[in-house]
């Protein structure tokens, strides 16, 4: 069964955000949001790049957006695009081939475009434009490269210029505030005479033609970016050849990572979209990892969060271990940054950045949200206290090692990550009178409750992950870390206080959580006056209550079900559900995973579906306090995949071998699941 394309026929302003995110194209290095070519910075059109950041004065440091090579304008006697009403319009994302098509029909002309970023390729964005006459008409088409781009905390290019190269290509060049040289070169080929034009912020070509019915102007454009003059990969010489290769390789990657359900429908569409969205984030070129908002721009400062290890890595481990290795490599490369951060906060070892940029620079501000009413910054403690990030990094590294058996990565910097992470927690822990180590003043995954003591997720993850790592390394006879050290790690881990289930089976999210006001989210939400209101932190309305932002205890149980009895898993799932806002797109999938462990399969499928359809449906929060947080949701895509592969199929990868222990609901029986084992594509029918 072929995947259905994703189609949008309307493009109303209210739907813009949704379509822009759901219809993204990309290749793990660069991407372009699903906006129309005549959109610009007002609509947050973005040609995005992963991994090159810049800071303007004292504003937030964020990734740069690239100069935009896609825009065009079309004029005929009947009007101008933008500005004309189409008789019919369609945006079609061919998820199987990783290409976005647009078709607009007007009375006198039909405009078609396509765009893609070559799969596995470098910093390239390709576009074809076709303007076909439906009746005899004169057409003036201008196609250009613009330096007038959307930026959240810019401008990032105090210096920028446009010019033409000898071969007729257009060059946009800029120097960032941090002194990086950024260039975008637009190579364009058309089937008509053209005249160059150069204005303040745009340069390109005008094509003027008197077309008879059926005749067309056809342009093929290749946009190429270079950072500091580096050619990451030569731009393709031929559009059609690059297109052919892209279609072939994307289709192969997509087909080899698909799950084909017995029935078409919303769930299949969601799973296909999740697989598509993850594929456009994988890269085989640079260890840049995957920002929380993927390729959709500068939100969250283009930073890498725990999202990568906990939600995205499982997909790559099952479908593309080369890309998975680069994600882990990123954390190895950024270890010096984590060591620096620990020192700055007065600790030892490696305290990974909560919002990690290149070199492990902490992108998270101490005032990370603002009050939407007053615009005043609100002190948040994500950077200083969300300490679970380091253990999540360790978890990711060990998951990779256990899945691939690639102990070599430990000798390439991995063992230093393990050692420094353990050292960090030792220095961060406080020894109490009970003789146990406690973590005080932290933030768990539920970010609404800050500076809490003994967050169950944090404490238990530190203990369990260290224990599991030591046990695996011993079993494998890995000699890179002396036995004495491993013993010391274990001694420490075993003395960490892990909040236990009470008589009723409930695990307290942190010390004092049960004493908070017992109001369920359904009731609580009536107290919200402004949808942009920040509910957490010192003044937040959720703070004195049990209302939580996202899965916290539930995340712990979903990740370590083997440590708890089935009864405890069930009781906590039921207990925490009504208090959970689900404000973070990371939440649903953890509830889905735990539901699967509890055998509540209908519920597991519902959560998985919600997660998978996050970007297709849109409607997620656009603001945290006064800060814009829109964009795509890679972790929701990865989380949906996790629910499917691990939760419902029970997929476990051990040293390259994948084993399944399926618990599929009736309606999903007969599904065909595709994955890779030791790099070899496989299919299993369940
Ligand atoms: O990592 C998440 C966090 O858990 C909740 N806020 C958004 C972050 C990025 O997705």
């Amino acid at each position: 069964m072929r995947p259905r394309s994703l189609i949008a026929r309307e493009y109303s302003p209210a739907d813009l955000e949704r379509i822009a995110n759901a219809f993204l194209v990309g290749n793990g290095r660069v991407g372009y949001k699903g906006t129309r070519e005549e959109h610009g910075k007002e609509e947050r059109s973005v040609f995005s790049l992963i991994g090159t950041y810049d800071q303007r004065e004292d504003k937030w440091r964020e990734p740069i957006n690239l100069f935009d090579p896609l825009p065009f304008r079309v004029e005929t006697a009947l009007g101008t695009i933008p500005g004309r009403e189409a008789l019919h319009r369609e945006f079609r994302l061919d998820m199987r081939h990783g290409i976005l098509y647009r078709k607009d029909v007007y009375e006198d002309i039909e405009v078609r475009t396509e765009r893609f970023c070559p799969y596995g390729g470098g910093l390239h964005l390709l576009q074809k434009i076709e303007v076909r006459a439906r009746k005899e008409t004169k057409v003036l088409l201008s196609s250009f490269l613009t330096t007038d781009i959307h930026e959240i905390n810019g401008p990032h290019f105090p210096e920028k210029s446009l010019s033409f190269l000898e071969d007729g290509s257009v060059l946009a060049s800029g120097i960032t505030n941090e002194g990086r040289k950024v260039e975008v070169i637009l190579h364009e080929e058309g089937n008509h005479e053209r005249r160059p034009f150069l204005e303040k912020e745009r340069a390109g070509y005008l094509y003027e033609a008197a077309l008879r019915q059926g005749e067309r102007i056809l342009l093929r454009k290749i946009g190429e970016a270079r950072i500091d003059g580096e050619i990451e990969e030569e731009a393709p010489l031929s559009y059609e050849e690059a297109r052919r290769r892209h279609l072939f390789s994307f289709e192969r990657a997509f087909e080899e990572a698909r799950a084909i359900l017995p029935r078409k429908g919303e769930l299949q569409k969601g799973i296909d979209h999740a697989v598509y969205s993850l594929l456009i984030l994988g890269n085989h070129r640079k260890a840049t990892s995957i920002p929380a908002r993927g390729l959709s721009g500068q939100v969250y400062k283009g930073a890498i969060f725990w999202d990568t290890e906990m939600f995205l890595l499982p997909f790559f481990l099952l479908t593309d271990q080369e890309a998975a290795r680069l994600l882990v490599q990123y954390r190895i490369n950024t270890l010096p940054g984590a060591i620096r951060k620990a020192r700055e906060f007065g600790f030892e070892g490696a305290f990974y950045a909560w919002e990690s940029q290149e070199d492990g620079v902490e992108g998270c501000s101490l005032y990370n949200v603002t009050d939407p009413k007053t615009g005043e910054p609100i002190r948040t403690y994500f950077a200083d206290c969300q300490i679970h990030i380091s253990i999540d990094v360790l978890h990711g590294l060990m998951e990779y090692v256990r899945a691939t058996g690639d102990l070599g990565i430990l000798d390439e910097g991995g063992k230093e990550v393990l050692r420094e992470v353990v050292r960090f927690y030792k220095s961060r822990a406080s020894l109490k009178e009970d003789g146990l180590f406690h973590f005080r003043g932290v933030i768990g995954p539920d970010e609404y409750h800050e500076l809490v003591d003994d967050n169950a997720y944090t404490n238990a993850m530190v203990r369990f992950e260290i224990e599991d790592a030591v046990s695996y390394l011993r079993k494998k006879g890995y000699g890179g870390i002396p036995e004495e050290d491993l013993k010391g790690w274990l001694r420490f881990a075993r003395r960490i206080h892990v909040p236990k289930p009470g008589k009723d089976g409930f695990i307290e999210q942190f010390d004092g959580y049960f004493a908070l006001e017992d109001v369920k989210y359904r009731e609580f939400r009536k107290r919200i006056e402004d949808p942009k209101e920040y509910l957490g932190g010192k003044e937040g309305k959720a703070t004195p209550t049990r209302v939580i932002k996202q899965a916290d205890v539930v995340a712990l149980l979903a990740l370590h079900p083997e440590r708890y009895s089935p009864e405890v898993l069930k009781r906590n799932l039921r207990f925490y559900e009504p208090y959970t806002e689900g404000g973070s797109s990371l939440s649903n999938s953890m509830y889905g995973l735990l539901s699967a462990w509890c055998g509540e399969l209908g519920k597991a499928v519902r959560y998985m579906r919600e997660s998978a359809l996050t970007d297709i449906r849109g409607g997620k929060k656009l603001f945290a306090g006064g800060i814009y947080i829109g964009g795509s949701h890679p972790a929701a895509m990865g989380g949906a995949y996790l629910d499917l592969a691990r939760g419902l199929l029970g997929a476990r990868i051990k040293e390259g071998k994948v084993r399944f222990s399926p618990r599929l609901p009736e309606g999903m029986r007969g599904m065909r699941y595709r994955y890779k084992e030791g790099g070899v594509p496989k299919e299993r029918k369940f």
Side-chain angles (χ1 to χ4, degrees), residues 5-48:
S5 291
L6 203 61
I7 295 190
R9 299 226 158 76
E10 291 304 318
Y11 212 123
S12 69
D15 219 11
L16 209 137
E17 175 78 25
R18 182 187 76 79
I19 298 177
N21 297 324
F23 289 72
L24 246 167
V25 294
N27 67 0
R29 295 291 296 124
V30 290
Y32 199 95
K33 268 168 89 175
T35 44
R36 295 156 70 82
E37 286 86 350
E38 58 273 28
H39 285 151
K41 58 186 197 184
E42 285 71 31
E43 293 85 6
R44 301 193 184 101
S45 256
V46 162
F47 178 18
S48 56

Side-chain angles (χ1 to χ4, degrees), residues 239-257:
Y239 180 98
E240 293 302 336
E241 177 60 14
R243 181 181 193 275
R244 199 185 55 73
R245 284 173 189 231
H246 168 75
L247 296 189
F248 176 78
S249 53
F250 199 93
E251 177 179 354
R252 194 166 71 184
F254 185 84
E255 285 299 336
E256 289 175 0

Side-chain angles (χ1 to χ4, degrees), residues 45-80:
S45 256
V46 162
F47 178 18
S48 56
L49 165 71
I50 289 186
T52 303
Y53 298 83
D54 181 61
Q55 184 167 22
R56 164 85 179 172
E57 293 163 359
D58 59 355
K59 293 185 182 183
W60 286 352
R61 195 162 183 270
E62 64 189 8
I64 54 161
N65 287 333
L66 293 165
F67 303 124
D68 191 345
L70 295 201
F72 65 72
R73 304 280 180 266
V74 189
E75 221 180 294
T76 71
L78 295 188
T80 303

Side-chain angles (χ1 to χ4, degrees), residues 228-299:
D228 295 328
E230 186 199 346
I231 301 178
E232 209 169 294
E233 190 189 283
E234 293 287 349
L237 290 175
S238 143
Y239 180 98
E240 293 302 336
E241 177 60 14
R243 181 181 193 275
R244 199 185 55 73
R245 284 173 189 231
H246 168 75
L247 296 189
F248 176 78
S249 53
F250 199 93
E251 177 179 354
R252 194 166 71 184
F254 185 84
E255 285 299 336
E256 289 175 0
R258 270 192 96 193
I260 302 163
L261 306 182
R263 265 187 247 129
K264 284 190 194 158
E266 283 290 278
L267 183 57
Q268 178 72 66
K269 188 155 88 172
I271 297 288
D272 282 339
H273 191 247
V275 168
Y276 167 81
S277 304
L278 293 161
L279 285 176
I280 65 167
L281 289 169
N283 94 82
H284 305 122
R285 311 200 140 261
K286 288 210 165 177
T288 45
S289 200
I290 301 175
R293 287 293 183 257
L295 285 158
S296 64
Q298 294 161 321
V299 166

Side-chain angles (χ1 to χ4, degrees), residues 292-293 300 305-307 354 386 445 447 549-550 584 586 635:
R293 287 293 183 257
Y300 286 137
F305 292 63
W306 69 315
D307 306 28
W354 177 243
Q386 203 154 166
E447 296 175 325
K549 180 177 179 183
Q550 66 197 79
S584 162
L586 277 56

Side-chain angles (χ1 to χ4, degrees), residues 216-228:
R216 61 185 185 161
I217 302 180
L218 179 67
L219 306 186
R220 294 186 178 90
K221 295 163 67 168
I222 299 178
E224 176 197 358
R226 293 181 189 169
I227 310 299
D228 295 328

Side-chain angles (χ1 to χ4, degrees), residues 16-176:
L16 209 137
E17 175 78 25
R18 182 187 76 79
I19 298 177
N21 297 324
F23 289 72
L24 246 167
V25 294
N27 67 0
R29 295 291 296 124
V30 290
Y32 199 95
K33 268 168 89 175
T35 44
R36 295 156 70 82
E37 286 86 350
E38 58 273 28
H39 285 151
K41 58 186 197 184
E42 285 71 31
E43 293 85 6
R44 301 193 184 101
S45 256
V46 162
F47 178 18
S48 56
L49 165 71
I50 289 186
T52 303
Y53 298 83
D54 181 61
Q55 184 167 22
R56 164 85 179 172
E57 293 163 359
D58 59 355
K59 293 185 182 183
W60 286 352
R61 195 162 183 270
E62 64 189 8
I64 54 161
N65 287 333
L66 293 165
F67 303 124
D68 191 345
L70 295 201
F72 65 72
R73 304 280 180 266
V74 189
E75 221 180 294
T76 71
L78 295 188
T80 303
I81 306 168
R84 279 184 82 174
E85 270 310 304
L87 302 174
H88 169 82
R89 63 176 33 158
E90 188 177 284
F91 237 31
R92 182 167 67 83
L93 179 66
D94 177 349
M95 297 188 278
R96 189 167 181 234
H97 296 101
I99 187 162
L100 177 67
Y101 297 99
R102 163 191 179 171
K103 177 170 135 186
D104 283 8
V105 182
Y106 301 89
E107 196 186 320
D108 52 348
I109 52 171
E110 189 176 292
V111 177
R112 287 175 185 254
T113 69
E114 64 180 35
R115 70 174 80 139
F116 64 95
C117 301
Y119 184 65
L123 311 185
H124 305 140
L125 171 64
L126 280 69
Q127 177 202 36
K128 184 144 82 182
I129 305 173
E130 187 184 331
V131 180
R132 184 183 289 273
R134 299 183 73 221
K135 53 182 172 189
E136 199 163 319
T137 180
K138 260 194 173 168
V139 174
L140 184 65
L141 167 65
S142 60
S143 149
F144 53 91
L145 173 58
T146 179
T147 52
D148 189 21
I149 54 172
H150 164 70
E151 295 176 312
I152 298 182
N153 291 291
H156 291 292
F157 299 100
E159 277 177 48
K160 52 185 176 180
S161 61
L162 282 161
S163 58
F164 288 91
L165 299 176
E166 258 174 30
D167 67 355
S169 306
V170 192
L171 167 71
S173 177
I175 305 286
T176 67

